Each structure stands twice: as structure tokens, then as C-alpha cells.
Amino acid sequence: MPAQRRAARPTRDRYVHWETVTTRWADIDVYGHMNNARYFEIIDTVVNNHLEVATGTDIRRLPAIGVVAEVGCKYFAEVGYPAPVEVGVRVEKVGNSSVVYKVGLFQGPGDEAAAEATFVHVYVDNTDPVRPVVSIPEEIRAAVASLLRP
């Protein structure tokens, strides 16, 4: 059976928006690296921070809100405590009702990501308890347009 080729690690130049987060003692598991659930908390927070700042509004109060429809992560190197994590975000695709983000996590020197996530928001009606899928609000569409990078 032929050996599988390992995917190239994403590099910093692939991302547009950047935030730095701090790891906490509680983020680390018994093996000494960051717990998988913490990666997703960071990713969710950084994406939504960008949307709040870029729109200048509380995105939770918009008539349509983005809910996480899919999330996955490729891990390339350990992320640990105590050290900051630089988080880069780009948008891979904007559809009628969804946005696909790529989020890279970097710790320490070097240009290669420790992890890269795919994070998908699907927009739903925030005024209807059934929450049917709707088009992306124009203020969100404008906020993610600057993050588009193929």
C-alpha cells in the first residue's frame, strides 16, 4: 500500500484577520497540551469578535444569526500553556446563507500553523422560534467580504 502524503501545514500568509488569545491552566489536559474543546472555543470567539467589531453591532440581536453548522480541525503541532496563541482567520466561501471560514492557530516562532480549522456559519431567522435558514444579512456579508481569500 503506498504511503499517504501529509498535507502541507498552512502558513501565516494565508490569513487576513488576526487576534491573540492567552492560554489558561484549565485549557491543558493531562498530557500537557491544549484540550480539543478549547480550540473550538477560541475559533468561535475569534470569528464572532471579528463580526461584532466589523459590523459595530451586537450580532446576537440581528434578525438573522449565524449558527455553527460544521466544525473540524487538523492538528499539526501541540499548543500549550503558558503561551499566547495567534489566531488567523480567512473566508474561503460566502454562499447565500452560509460562510465557510478557515482559522489557523499559531504558537511561538515559525510560520506554520499548529492547527487549522474549518468553521461554517449558516444563517437562520432569529425572530422565528423554528429558526429557518435565511440569507446572510448585508452587514455580515460586508464584514466577511474583507476576509475572502481563495
Side-chain angles (χ1 to χ4, degrees), residues 12-111:
R12 291 178 186 273
D13 61 337
R14 295 178 67 178
Y15 305 96
V16 179
H17 171 74
W18 288 91
E19 289 189 29
T20 301
V21 299
T22 303
T23 56
R24 304 167 304 168
W25 176 259
D27 298 334
I28 308 307
D29 65 19
V30 297
Y31 302 110
H33 61 266
M34 193 163 67
N35 188 291
N36 294 342
R38 178 68 173 135
Y39 284 84
F40 297 116
E41 290 173 11
I42 289 171
I43 293 159
D44 195 22
T45 298
V46 170
V47 167
N48 286 302
N49 281 348
H50 169 74
L51 295 176
E52 289 244 348
V53 170
T55 62
T57 190
D58 182 346
I59 58 173
R60 297 170 294 181
R61 303 203 187 290
L62 291 173
I65 57 170
V67 295
V68 178
E70 180 182 338
V71 66
C73 194
K74 292 181 182 178
Y75 303 97
F76 305 104
E78 288 187 10
V79 170
Y81 169 88
V85 178
E86 294 174 275
V87 183
V89 180
R90 76 175 192 273
V91 167
E92 190 172 62
K93 180 183 176 196
V94 180
N96 179 54
S97 59
S98 64
V99 180
V100 179
Y101 297 90
K102 289 291 188 176
V103 183
L105 287 84
F106 298 79
Q107 190 173 58
D111 197 38

Side-chain angles (χ1 to χ4, degrees), residues 2-8:
Q4 288 185 332
R5 292 183 55 187
R6 177 176 269 176

